[in-house]
């Protein structure tokens, strides 16, 4: 009895025309921007590596007949004319692949930024410190950070980059790096000028960083502002709230702006509240913004509590105001409260 051998018909070989070297094909593939162009060059690149059609199909997910037709077209008309609009089913697959690719990249960028921006709230014998940050998009444009000095001082930064997305995320990373490198050793006016000059040199085209810098030492809070909302101070003795308005252009816009320095005394039980404008711009279902007057009132009612409780009350008020609607802008809050005996 003879063994029965089943043979399958192999696909006809396709030889890629020798228009470009393997390196030149890779360079074309690497420089592509649109989904259609990227798909076409990916297939030609894989073919230049010696892949057969069914291997290319398994890698890209595209129909083998369409892949063969694309390679034949490349061979016939050359690398500068072979790209054409794909059939509808291929175009839909390209759009899905492009969406998945961009979603994956944004998720990776968000995770990397969150890991880089993780901040441990410092301990201080005179202060309770609490902070909160909620991003509206995949990559955030808000930022806060702390540094503890050898002299026992606490230096803080809270910022809000203009715009949204990747460019504002890059501005945040650059600001954090500068603050970490310079913040412990510089006086605040010198620090804000150096940061602004360096950020301007990055040429991030219309992206700036609104920032408030603060330094607490021996009951005094020194403040320098660059386009941020007022710092609010709750006075335990009177149960009233003061606005500390500090005018200044955002970092990266001007290198020689005359920034102002303010010094605020914090008595026992007093609390300082710093925020980005995302809190003020929370919108109710009727389209009305929360605005600074309501925030001042909420802070005044919560100011006698702990720093953590103050943040919690402001968060709850913000959630109630926007009625669980999606955020339109990042929200960041920092509270420093002078301890009582």
């Amino acid at each position: 009895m003879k063994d029965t051998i089943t043979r399958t018909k192999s696909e006809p070989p396709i030889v890629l025309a020798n228009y470009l070297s393997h390196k030149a094909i890779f360079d074309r593939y690497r420089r592509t921007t649109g989904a259609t162009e990227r798909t076409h060059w990916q297939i030609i690149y894989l073919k230049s590596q010696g892949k057969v059609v069914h291997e290319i199909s398994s890698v890209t997910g595209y129909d083998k007949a369409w892949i063969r037709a694309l390679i034949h077209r490349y061979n016939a008309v050359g690398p500068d004319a072979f790209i054409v609009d794909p059939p509808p089913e291929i175009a839909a697959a390209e759009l899905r692949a492009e969406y998945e690719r961009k979603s994956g990249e944004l998720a990776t960028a968000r995770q990397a930024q969150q890991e880089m921006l993780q901040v441990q709230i410092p301990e201080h014998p005179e202060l309770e410190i609490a902070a909160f940050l909620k991003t509206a998009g995949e990559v955030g444009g808000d930022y806060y950070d702390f540094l503890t000095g050898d002299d026992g001082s606490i230096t803080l930064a809270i910022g809000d980059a203009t715009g949204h997305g990747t460019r504002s995320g890059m501005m945040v990373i650059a600001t954090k790096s500068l603050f970490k490198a310079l913040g412990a050793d510089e006086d605040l006016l010198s620090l804000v000028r150096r940061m602004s000059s360096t950020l301007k040199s990055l040429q991030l085209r219309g992206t700036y960083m609104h920032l408030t810098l603060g330094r607490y030492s021996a009951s005094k809070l020194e403040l320098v502002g660059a386009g941020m909302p007022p710092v609010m101070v709750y006075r335990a003795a009177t149960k009233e709230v003061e606005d500390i308005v500090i005018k200044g252009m955002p970092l990266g816009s001007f290198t020689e702006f005359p920034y102002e320095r303010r010094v605020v005394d914090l008595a026992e039980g007093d609390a300082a509240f710093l925020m980005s404008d995302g809190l003020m711009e929370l919108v109710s279902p009727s389209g009305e913004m929360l605005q600074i007057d309501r925030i001042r009132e909420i802070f005044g009612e919560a100011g006698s509590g702990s720093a953590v409780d103050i943040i919690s009350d402001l968060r709850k008020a913000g959630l109630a105001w926007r009625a669980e609607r999606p955020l339109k802008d990042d929200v960041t809050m920092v509270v420093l409260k002078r301890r009582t005996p």
Side-chain angles (χ1 to χ4, degrees):
M1 181 176 180
K2 295 182 179 180
D3 293 335
T4 302
I5 300 177
T6 303
R7 299 183 184 275
T8 58
K9 185 179 180 180
S10 62
E11 63 182 48
I14 304 176
V15 178
L16 192 68
N18 192 25
Y19 293 115
L20 300 171
S21 67
H22 176 71
K23 181 180 182 301
I25 290 174
F26 177 73
D27 287 341
R28 291 280 191 104
Y29 171 52
R30 183 171 53 85
R31 293 198 305 266
T32 57
T33 54
T36 297
E37 187 181 5
R38 181 182 296 109
T39 298
H40 285 54
W41 278 108
Q42 181 188 25
I43 289 170
I44 298 304
Y45 169 65
L46 291 171
K47 184 59 184 172
S48 75
Q49 288 186 309
K51 304 289 186 185
V52 295
V53 170
H54 78 84
E55 291 176 317
I56 297 173
S57 177
S58 66
V59 170
T60 63
Y62 295 119
D63 179 72
K64 287 183 284 188
W66 185 75
I67 292 172
R68 289 192 193 95
L70 181 68
I71 297 171
H72 283 307
R73 178 173 174 81
Y74 176 88
N75 289 343
V77 301
D80 297 322
F82 82 105
I83 295 176
V84 295
D85 290 336
E89 64 274 12
I90 301 298
E94 288 180 355
L95 287 173
R96 286 196 301 272
E98 182 76 356
Y99 174 79
E100 291 170 0
R101 181 185 68 82
K102 289 182 177 180
S103 297
E105 289 178 356
L106 282 172
T108 301
R110 177 182 177 85
Q111 181 179 359
Q113 188 194 44
Q114 288 181 335
E115 290 173 356
M116 185 174 291
L117 296 181
Q118 285 179 355
V119 176
Q120 182 163 353
I121 304 297
E123 296 286 340
H124 193 276
E126 296 179 14
L127 292 177
E128 298 175 13
I129 305 173
F132 169 79
L133 189 156
K134 178 71 173 177
T135 60
E138 293 296 330
V139 180
D142 273 18
Y143 157 75
Y144 72 86
D145 207 350
F146 300 95
L147 291 173
T148 302
D150 294 335
D151 58 356
S153 64
I154 293 286
T155 303
L156 67 97
I158 176 171
D160 179 4
T162 56
H164 300 281
T166 305
R167 195 179 299 276
S168 62
M170 292 171 61
M171 177 61 78
V172 168
I173 298 299
T175 302
K176 178 183 177 72
S177 300
L178 289 168
F179 180 73
K180 287 296 189 186
L182 305 173
D185 301 322
E186 297 272 357
D187 70 80
L188 295 190
L189 282 175
S190 297
L191 176 59
V192 75
R193 293 190 190 106
R194 289 188 65 183
M195 292 176 73
S196 185
S197 178
T198 303
L199 292 174
K200 184 175 177 62
S201 72
L202 296 180
Q203 298 181 343
L204 288 175
R205 296 203 310 273
T207 304
Y208 309 105
M209 175 60 77
H210 299 81
L211 190 76
T212 296
L213 295 171
R215 180 170 289 151
Y216 176 86
S217 180
S219 80
K220 296 186 182 299
L221 178 62
E222 179 186 358
L223 296 165
V224 174
M228 288 286 278
V231 176
M232 296 184 185
V233 178
Y234 171 82
R235 297 300 187 186
T238 61
K239 295 182 171 50
E240 295 179 346
V241 175
E242 300 175 9
D243 285 357
I244 310 299
V245 179
I246 314 169
K247 296 180 180 179
M249 296 298 293
L251 306 190
S253 54
F254 295 94
T255 56
E256 300 297 330
F257 186 85
Y259 291 99
E260 300 176 1
R261 173 180 172 271
R262 299 285 300 275
V263 177
V264 179
D265 289 315
L266 290 184
E268 293 174 353
D270 289 355
F273 173 53
L274 301 88
M275 63 178 168
S276 65
D277 61 8
L279 183 63
M280 297 188 298
E281 294 173 0
L282 292 179
V283 178
S284 70
S286 63
E288 188 179 5
M289 287 188 180
L290 184 57
Q291 297 185 343
I292 195 166
D293 290 341
R294 293 188 182 89
I295 294 170
R296 187 185 301 108
E297 183 179 349
I298 297 164
F299 177 50
E301 293 174 355
S304 59
S306 69
V308 171
D309 288 340
I310 293 170
I311 292 284
S312 178
D313 286 351
L314 287 161
R315 285 185 62 191
K316 290 175 183 176
L319 285 170
W321 184 261
R322 65 183 174 95
E324 302 293 341
R325 295 172 57 176
L327 286 176
K328 299 296 185 182
D329 194 8
D330 302 342
V331 174
T332 306
M333 299 180 279
V334 174
V335 170
L336 307 178
K337 185 177 178 69
R338 180 86 187 274
R339 298 181 189 274
T340 55

